[in-house]
Amino acid sequence: MFRPDDAFLLLHWQNEVVDPQGTIGRRGGGAAILAAGTFDVLERALDAAVAAGSPIIHVVFTANEDGTCRSAAINLRASLATAFAPGSWGVRVPDRLRRPGDEVVVHDTMSALAGTGLTERLRNRGVVRLVLCGVSTLLVVAATAFAALDEGFDVTVLSDCCAAPTREAQQSALSQLEVIATVRTLD
């Protein structure tokens, strides 16, 4: 599944979003991710990426010190600004998703590629394809997939390593992504 010229991007797999105690996670998404076994599939994907020599990059959403972000569409309410404060528990990647040599990139926009310098770093490594997984499929995964396509990368979305607020939202997002990307399961 993975090749050395892939980069495996884990989008918003951070405590505030995926932990049932997180600000976003406690709205039901964290428990749903655990119940669906998504963490288990994601861990297998991580191990496959390591075995293939693909770089693993965690992209975490972080608010600015004043509780804002660059994207006007997602400027934060005060309650979320604290949850996504730089260096806080909320922006950390859960230990079970960390692998030796993985990287963490912070951003404050919808796309993982906007303003992060990640595009250039990936090109310098010879990356041809981005393998994406994330929360939420209809937001950060879709935005990153479209931006990656514009930047000339091939895109694969691992549907069983993604999550959205509802089953309908997940199916809608995946249907849209099938137009521009390879959408598949890990196995």
Side-chain angles (χ1 to χ4, degrees):
M1 149 91 237
F2 288 94
R3 308 177 311 233
D5 61 350
D6 290 341
F8 188 29
L9 274 62
L10 291 84
L11 308 168
H12 296 184
W13 282 93
Q14 62 194 83
N15 287 329
E16 281 299 344
V17 177
V18 300
D19 189 289
Q21 301 305 309
T23 302
I24 304 297
R26 71 173 161 248
R27 295 179 184 167
I33 288 167
L34 289 172
T38 309
F39 268 109
D40 298 331
V41 176
L42 190 51
E43 286 182 285
R44 289 194 346 260
L46 282 162
D47 294 339
V50 168
S54 301
I56 297 169
I57 302 167
H58 300 274
V59 181
V60 297
F61 181 82
T62 304
N64 296 313
E65 295 293 335
D66 66 356
T68 63
C69 58
R70 284 185 304 135
S71 175
I74 53 175
N75 267 318
L76 300 173
R77 298 184 304 269
S79 62
L80 292 179
T82 303
F84 291 100
S88 68
W89 172 85
V91 300
R92 283 191 219 116
V93 174
D95 289 341
R96 71 188 280 188
L97 300 181
R98 298 301 309 257
R99 296 297 183 273
D102 62 2
E103 302 173 41
V104 176
V105 172
V106 298
H107 75 134
D108 67 345
T109 60
M110 286 288 189
S111 167
L113 302 180
T116 61
L118 187 54
T119 299
E120 294 79 21
R121 289 180 20 221
L122 294 170
R123 283 193 180 122
N124 290 339
R125 285 182 160 171
V127 169
V128 173
R129 179 176 70 154
L130 302 185
V131 179
L132 306 179
C133 66
V135 182
S136 164
T137 312
L138 68 156
L139 296 175
V140 68
V141 175
T144 301
F146 279 96
L149 185 70
D150 285 345
E151 294 293 340
F153 292 104
D154 292 332
V155 179
T156 295
V157 175
L158 292 181
S159 60
D160 51 351
C161 294
C162 291
T166 66
R167 182 181 176 100
E168 294 78 19
Q170 176 78 344
Q171 291 307 326
S172 176
L174 292 172
S175 293
Q176 181 183 33
L177 287 166
E178 286 176 340
V179 174
I180 64 156
T182 300
V183 176
R184 59 168 291 184
T185 60
L186 177 62
D187 300 318

